[in-house]
Amino acid sequence: AQTVTQSQPEMSVQEAETVTLSCTYDTSESNYYLFWYKQPPSRQMILVIRQEAYKQQNATENRFSVNFQKAAKSFSLKISDSQLGDTAMYFCAFDHAGGTSYGKLTFGQGTILTVHP
Amino acid sequence: NAGVTQTPKFRVLKTGQSMTLLCAQDMNHEYMYWYRQDPGMGLRLIHYSVGEGTTAKGEVPDGYNVSRLKKQNFLLGLESAAPSQTSVYFCASRPSTEYSYEQYFGPGTRLTVT
Protein backbone atom coordinates (compact mmCIF):
# COMPACT_ATOMS: atom_id res chain seq x y z
CA ALA A 1 0.00 0.00 0.00
CA GLN A 2 1.10 3.51 -0.69
CA THR A 3 1.74 6.00 2.07
CA VAL A 4 2.02 9.76 1.87
CA THR A 5 3.69 11.78 4.61
CA GLN A 6 3.56 15.49 5.23
CA SER A 7 5.90 16.20 8.10
CA GLN A 8 5.01 19.88 8.59
CA PRO A 9 1.70 20.20 10.45
CA GLU A 10 1.83 24.00 10.25
CA MET A 11 3.77 26.61 8.30
CA SER A 12 3.63 30.38 8.13
CA VAL A 13 4.97 32.94 5.69
CA GLN A 14 4.87 36.66 5.16
CA GLU A 15 2.91 38.04 2.27
CA ALA A 16 4.98 38.22 -0.95
CA GLU A 17 7.55 35.75 0.32
CA THR A 18 8.19 32.18 -0.81
CA VAL A 19 7.34 29.04 1.12
CA THR A 20 7.93 25.35 0.45
CA LEU A 21 5.72 22.55 1.71
CA SER A 22 7.19 19.06 1.94
CA CYS A 23 5.74 15.70 0.97
CA THR A 24 7.26 12.25 0.79
CA TYR A 25 5.64 9.06 -0.38
CA ASP A 26 6.33 5.39 -0.47
CA THR A 27 5.38 3.15 -3.37
CA SER A 28 6.65 0.23 -5.42
CA GLU A 29 4.88 1.48 -8.53
CA SER A 30 6.86 3.01 -11.38
CA ASN A 31 4.02 5.00 -12.91
CA TYR A 32 1.84 7.24 -10.78
CA TYR A 33 0.47 10.73 -10.37
CA LEU A 34 1.05 13.20 -7.57
CA PHE A 35 -1.16 16.11 -6.62
CA TRP A 36 -1.34 19.08 -4.33
CA TYR A 37 -4.84 20.06 -3.19
CA LYS A 38 -5.73 23.24 -1.35
CA GLN A 39 -8.51 23.40 1.25
CA PRO A 40 -9.33 26.98 2.33
CA PRO A 41 -11.54 27.71 5.35
CA SER A 42 -14.56 27.22 3.09
CA ARG A 43 -13.65 23.50 3.16
CA GLN A 44 -13.78 23.18 -0.64
CA MET A 45 -11.03 20.95 -2.08
CA ILE A 46 -9.23 22.66 -4.96
CA LEU A 47 -6.61 21.07 -7.20
CA VAL A 48 -3.46 23.21 -7.22
CA ILE A 49 -1.03 21.22 -9.34
CA ARG A 50 -0.34 17.71 -10.60
CA GLN A 51 2.75 15.80 -11.68
CA GLU A 52 3.00 12.66 -13.76
CA ALA A 53 5.82 10.40 -12.55
CA TYR A 54 7.03 9.64 -16.07
CA LYS A 55 7.69 13.33 -16.73
CA GLN A 56 11.09 14.58 -15.63
CA GLN A 57 10.08 18.23 -15.92
CA ASN A 58 8.65 19.73 -12.78
CA ALA A 59 5.09 21.01 -13.09
CA THR A 60 4.37 24.73 -12.77
CA GLU A 61 1.09 26.62 -12.46
CA ASN A 62 1.58 30.37 -12.15
CA ARG A 63 2.97 30.99 -8.64
CA PHE A 64 2.92 27.30 -7.75
CA SER A 65 5.66 24.88 -8.70
CA VAL A 66 6.83 21.48 -7.55
CA ASN A 67 10.19 19.87 -6.94
CA PHE A 68 9.67 16.24 -7.91
CA GLN A 69 12.52 13.94 -6.91
CA LYS A 70 11.47 10.47 -8.05
CA ALA A 71 14.44 8.57 -6.65
CA ALA A 72 14.02 10.21 -3.27
CA LYS A 73 10.21 9.86 -3.46
CA SER A 74 9.83 13.51 -2.61
CA PHE A 75 7.26 15.97 -3.96
CA SER A 76 7.45 19.47 -2.49
CA LEU A 77 5.27 22.46 -3.35
CA LYS A 78 6.76 25.92 -3.69
CA ILE A 79 4.49 28.93 -3.47
CA SER A 80 6.07 32.14 -4.72
CA ASP A 81 4.86 35.68 -3.95
CA SER A 82 2.53 34.35 -1.25
CA GLN A 83 -0.88 35.99 -1.03
CA LEU A 84 -3.37 36.17 1.83
CA GLY A 85 -5.71 33.98 -0.21
CA ASP A 86 -3.14 31.18 -0.09
CA THR A 87 -3.98 30.65 3.58
CA ALA A 88 -5.37 27.10 3.63
CA MET A 89 -4.71 23.48 4.46
CA TYR A 90 -2.61 21.84 1.74
CA PHE A 91 -2.77 18.13 1.02
CA CYS A 92 -0.35 16.03 -0.96
CA ALA A 93 -2.03 13.09 -2.72
CA PHE A 94 -0.96 10.00 -4.68
CA ASP A 95 -2.67 7.96 -7.43
CA HIS A 96 -0.82 4.83 -8.52
CA ALA A 97 -2.31 5.07 -12.01
CA GLY A 98 -2.43 1.34 -12.67
CA GLY A 99 -5.34 -0.54 -14.19
CA THR A 100 -6.93 -1.14 -10.81
CA SER A 101 -6.30 2.35 -9.50
CA TYR A 102 -9.60 3.81 -10.67
CA GLY A 103 -8.26 7.17 -9.63
CA LYS A 104 -8.30 6.40 -5.92
CA LEU A 105 -6.27 8.94 -3.97
CA THR A 106 -4.08 8.43 -0.92
CA PHE A 107 -3.69 11.68 0.99
CA GLY A 108 -1.08 13.00 3.37
CA GLN A 109 -2.00 14.42 6.77
CA GLY A 110 -2.07 18.00 5.52
CA THR A 111 -0.12 21.17 6.25
CA ILE A 112 -1.85 24.29 7.51
CA LEU A 113 -0.33 27.33 5.79
CA THR A 114 -0.93 30.80 7.18
CA VAL A 115 0.07 33.85 5.16
CA HIS A 116 0.63 36.92 7.32
CA PRO A 117 0.21 40.49 6.02
CA ASN B 1 -23.72 23.06 -14.04
CA ALA B 2 -23.65 22.51 -10.29
CA GLY B 3 -20.68 20.09 -10.26
CA VAL B 4 -20.74 17.84 -7.19
CA THR B 5 -23.34 18.52 -4.52
CA GLN B 6 -23.81 16.90 -1.13
CA THR B 7 -26.87 16.70 1.08
CA PRO B 8 -27.04 17.56 3.94
CA LYS B 9 -24.25 20.03 4.80
CA PHE B 10 -24.49 19.43 8.54
CA ARG B 11 -26.06 16.73 10.69
CA VAL B 12 -26.07 15.72 14.32
CA LEU B 13 -26.96 12.12 15.16
CA LYS B 14 -27.33 10.21 18.36
CA THR B 15 -25.41 6.95 18.78
CA GLY B 16 -27.29 4.13 17.09
CA GLN B 17 -29.28 6.30 14.69
CA SER B 18 -29.03 5.81 10.96
CA MET B 19 -28.74 8.24 8.10
CA THR B 20 -27.90 8.51 4.41
CA LEU B 21 -25.66 11.08 2.79
CA LEU B 22 -26.45 11.90 -0.81
CA CYS B 23 -23.89 12.85 -3.42
CA ALA B 24 -24.96 14.02 -6.86
CA GLN B 25 -22.85 15.02 -9.87
CA ASP B 26 -24.01 16.46 -13.17
CA MET B 27 -20.78 15.94 -15.14
CA ASN B 28 -21.56 12.40 -16.35
CA HIS B 29 -18.53 11.03 -14.49
CA GLU B 30 -18.11 7.28 -14.20
CA TYR B 31 -16.02 7.23 -11.02
CA MET B 32 -17.30 8.41 -7.66
CA TYR B 33 -15.76 8.32 -4.19
CA TRP B 34 -16.56 8.86 -0.54
CA TYR B 35 -13.81 10.14 1.77
CA ARG B 36 -13.76 11.10 5.42
CA GLN B 37 -11.55 13.84 6.82
CA ASP B 38 -10.31 13.72 10.39
CA PRO B 39 -7.82 16.05 12.08
CA GLY B 40 -4.23 14.96 11.55
CA MET B 41 -5.20 12.13 9.21
CA GLY B 42 -5.99 13.81 5.91
CA LEU B 43 -8.71 12.30 3.76
CA ARG B 44 -9.26 8.56 3.77
CA LEU B 45 -11.24 6.61 1.20
CA ILE B 46 -14.35 4.87 2.53
CA HIS B 47 -15.93 3.38 -0.61
CA TYR B 48 -15.82 4.06 -4.30
CA SER B 49 -17.73 3.22 -7.47
CA VAL B 50 -16.49 2.80 -11.02
CA GLY B 51 -19.92 2.79 -12.60
CA GLU B 52 -23.64 2.49 -12.11
CA GLY B 53 -24.48 -0.56 -10.03
CA THR B 54 -20.90 -1.20 -8.87
CA THR B 55 -19.25 -0.35 -5.55
CA ALA B 56 -16.03 -1.33 -3.81
CA LYS B 57 -14.40 -0.90 -0.42
CA GLY B 58 -11.75 1.64 0.26
CA GLU B 59 -9.36 2.04 3.16
CA VAL B 60 -11.90 2.52 5.97
CA PRO B 61 -15.21 0.87 4.95
CA ASP B 62 -16.36 -0.56 8.28
CA GLY B 63 -19.67 0.83 9.52
CA TYR B 64 -20.66 2.26 6.14
CA ASN B 65 -22.63 1.02 3.16
CA VAL B 66 -22.99 2.58 -0.27
CA SER B 67 -25.17 2.32 -3.32
CA ARG B 68 -25.00 3.64 -6.86
CA LEU B 69 -28.32 2.93 -8.48
CA LYS B 70 -28.01 5.88 -10.86
CA LYS B 71 -24.83 7.08 -12.52
CA GLN B 72 -25.18 10.59 -11.14
CA ASN B 73 -25.83 9.61 -7.51
CA PHE B 74 -23.67 7.92 -4.89
CA LEU B 75 -25.22 7.31 -1.47
CA LEU B 76 -23.35 6.70 1.77
CA GLY B 77 -25.26 5.04 4.59
CA LEU B 78 -24.57 4.74 8.28
CA GLU B 79 -26.77 1.98 9.71
CA SER B 80 -25.91 2.50 13.37
CA ALA B 81 -23.92 5.65 13.95
CA ALA B 82 -21.03 5.65 16.43
CA PRO B 83 -19.08 8.58 17.91
CA SER B 84 -16.03 7.39 15.94
CA GLN B 85 -17.92 8.34 12.78
CA THR B 86 -17.90 12.00 13.74
CA SER B 87 -16.08 13.50 10.78
CA VAL B 88 -16.34 15.61 7.66
CA TYR B 89 -17.41 13.55 4.67
CA PHE B 90 -16.47 14.42 1.12
CA CYS B 91 -17.81 13.03 -2.10
CA ALA B 92 -15.78 13.30 -5.31
CA SER B 93 -16.10 12.27 -8.93
CA ARG B 94 -13.97 12.09 -12.06
CA PRO B 95 -14.16 10.68 -15.59
CA SER B 96 -12.80 7.21 -16.27
CA THR B 97 -10.55 8.28 -19.13
CA GLU B 98 -6.87 7.69 -18.49
CA TYR B 99 -5.73 11.30 -18.62
CA SER B 100 -8.58 12.79 -16.60
CA TYR B 101 -6.65 13.12 -13.38
CA GLU B 102 -8.63 15.64 -11.44
CA GLN B 103 -11.19 14.61 -8.86
CA TYR B 104 -13.99 17.09 -8.38
CA PHE B 105 -15.05 17.40 -4.77
CA GLY B 106 -18.33 18.32 -3.17
CA PRO B 107 -18.52 20.90 -0.37
CA GLY B 108 -18.50 18.30 2.40
CA THR B 109 -20.90 17.19 5.13
CA ARG B 110 -20.02 17.75 8.77
CA LEU B 111 -21.44 14.89 10.84
CA THR B 112 -21.42 14.81 14.62
CA VAL B 113 -22.43 11.67 16.49
CA THR B 114 -23.19 12.20 20.18
Side-chain angles (χ1 to χ4, degrees):
Chain A
Q2 292 80 17
T3 59
V4 178
T5 303
Q6 294 178 248
S7 58
Q8 304 155 315
E10 295 186 39
M11 295 279 286
S12 64
V13 64
Q14 293 296 126
E15 199 173 6
E17 294 188 345
T18 296
V19 64
T20 298
L21 307 184
S22 300
C23 172
T24 58
Y25 58 94
D26 187 24
T27 184
S28 58
E29 304 287 339
S30 59
N31 190 28
Y32 47 87
Y33 308 127
L34 293 162
F35 307 86
W36 280 98
Y37 276 87
K38 171 185 178 181
Q39 186 181 47
S42 67
R43 212 166 61 193
Q44 183 66 47
M45 294 287 286
I46 303 164
L47 179 63
V48 175
I49 200 165
R50 68 170 182 252
Q51 174 79 43
E52 292 90 337
Y54 63 86
K55 290 185 177 179
Q56 292 187 332
Q57 187 174 4
N58 289 326
T60 299
E61 290 286 344
N62 300 314
R63 298 183 295 108
F64 298 88
S65 61
V66 298
N67 183 4
F68 173 48
Q69 301 289 329
K70 191 171 184 179
K73 297 181 181 175
S74 170
F75 182 61
S76 60
L77 174 69
K78 186 172 81 171
I79 306 174
S80 303
D81 186 24
S82 296
Q83 300 175 359
L84 296 178
D86 295 333
T87 292
M89 173 86 84
Y90 287 81
F91 291 100
C92 179
F94 175 100
D95 172 1
H96 80 67
T100 59
S101 167
Y102 302 118
K104 301 190 301 291
L105 294 177
T106 300
F107 286 87
Q109 303 90 329
T111 296
I112 299 172
L113 175 66
T114 303
V115 180
H116 297 285
Chain B
N1 188 339
V4 180
T5 59
Q6 293 183 229
T7 308
K9 289 187 169 50
F10 303 93
R11 185 73 186 268
V12 178
L13 287 179
K14 294 188 187 308
T15 298
Q17 288 185 322
S18 63
M19 77 163 294
T20 300
L21 282 68
L22 170 64
C23 175
Q25 51 94 5
D26 60 2
M27 298 172 282
N28 202 35
H29 289 168
E30 290 80 14
Y31 295 170
M32 296 187 74
Y33 315 86
W34 276 108
Y35 296 92
R36 60 177 289 172
Q37 181 179 6
D38 303 294
M41 302 186 75
L43 280 74
R44 293 179 293 167
L45 183 66
I46 304 171
H47 285 280
Y48 65 100
S49 169
V50 300
E52 183 178 315
T54 70
T55 63
K57 294 180 180 180
E59 180 186 354
V60 288
D62 293 343
Y64 304 95
N65 56 75
V66 289
S67 64
R68 189 146 178 224
L69 300 180
K70 294 183 179 181
K71 184 177 184 179
Q72 63 268 34
N73 295 338
F74 194 28
L75 279 63
L76 177 72
L78 286 73
E79 291 186 346
S80 179
S84 61
Q85 295 177 304
T86 293
S87 188
V88 179
Y89 292 85
F90 286 94
C91 177
S93 72
R94 57 154 275 189
S96 62
T97 51
E98 181 179 356
Y99 298 106
S100 298
Y101 308 127
E102 181 177 357
Q103 288 194 14
Y104 295 81
F105 284 82
T109 295
R110 180 175 293 278
L111 174 66
T112 302
V113 183
T114 61

